[in-house]
Amino acid sequence: MEQVVCYCLKCNTELGTFKNSFHGIGSNYFSPLHPAVTQTDGFVTTGEAYQAATGSRVENTVLQDLACSGCKTVLGLRCHSAPSGHLLKRHQLLLRLAYMSVISAQTQSTAALSIQARFALTLPGTKKSLTPRRELSEQPVPGNKFKTWAEAAIALQRQDIDRIGSAVDRIEKGMKSFRDFMNELRTDI
């Protein structure tokens, strides 16, 4: 069976090697059907574990964000616990492949994913939540890779801009406090 190597799209950190056999969960997540072929040292868990959304195919599980060890971009989820007979199993990975490059270990070119089955994330008859946990990206499809890459790059740039904007706001507040202090000092002298 073909093996694929996953790399972070943002910093090119090697995340791990998997057999090319996945389940699609929702439109954004893909779960390897076999254990990783190599260590998945490129992934680190981040943040607190949390209960999965009710009314979804992954409800009754405890999940935790999975990030790139290099740049800390969230690339998916790790299942910490799931009931017996559930779609998810303990330590199962749910990868957001739109934020990764998936390369064939044999040909060294972009791999065509082998999706064995697809599962809707929401259960039939449930309404989609009006307040999603976080923005989801489109999954790449053949012929649409540039659009997917561009959207992922723009989303990452927005995060960087928001982070920088917050830092600038803090500096401006500090400068205002310093100016006020200097004005008071001048008045006292």
Side-chain angles (χ1 to χ4, degrees):
M1 177 178 289
E2 179 186 37
Q3 295 180 2
V4 294
V5 184
C6 294
Y7 296 91
C8 176
L9 201 56
K10 184 175 181 183
C11 71
N12 209 35
T13 296
E14 184 174 330
L15 303 167
T17 302
F18 303 91
K19 291 183 179 178
N20 190 2
S21 185
F22 295 85
H23 274 164
I25 301 176
S27 59
N28 297 294
Y29 292 95
F30 294 85
S31 183
L33 291 179
H34 303 282
V37 175
T38 63
Q39 293 293 320
T40 54
D41 295 337
F43 290 112
V44 292
T45 53
T46 182
E48 296 295 318
Y50 57 89
Q51 283 291 120
T54 57
S56 71
R57 191 156 316 262
V58 295
E59 72 180 341
N60 301 320
T61 62
V62 176
L63 304 172
Q64 187 172 14
D65 287 340
L66 198 60
C68 171
S69 63
C71 65
K72 306 304 183 227
T73 299
V74 175
L75 300 172
L77 304 165
R78 180 186 301 272
C79 178
H80 273 277
S81 65
S84 178
H86 197 278
L87 172 65
L88 299 184
K89 307 292 181 245
R90 187 167 194 256
H91 297 301
Q92 185 171 349
L93 303 180
L94 300 167
L95 305 176
R96 296 175 70 189
L97 297 180
Y99 289 89
M100 300 178 211
S101 22
V102 182
I103 306 298
S104 168
Q106 287 77 17
T107 66
Q108 301 301 311
S109 60
T110 301
L113 287 183
S114 176
I115 308 299
Q116 304 303 312
R118 289 193 177 270
F119 301 95
L121 190 54
T122 55
L123 295 172
T126 57
K127 291 184 179 180
K128 207 171 194 179
S129 171
L130 297 176
T131 55
R133 186 172 178 278
R134 65 179 158 260
E135 284 293 318
L136 299 176
S137 63
E138 289 294 317
Q139 186 58 38
V141 294
N144 201 15
K145 289 182 182 177
F146 177 76
K147 179 182 176 194
T148 302
W149 171 85
E151 288 172 346
I154 289 168
L156 293 172
Q157 289 174 353
R158 279 191 190 118
Q159 290 174 354
D160 290 343
I161 289 168
D162 290 343
R163 182 179 46 78
I164 292 168
S166 296
V168 169
D169 289 344
R170 286 192 304 274
I171 291 169
E172 286 177 344
K173 287 178 185 175
M175 291 298 292
K176 184 181 182 311
S177 295
F178 180 73
R179 275 193 299 264
D180 292 345
F181 171 76
M182 291 303 291
N183 287 335
E184 285 180 22
L185 188 59
R186 284 185 190 138
T187 305
D188 290 345
I189 294 178

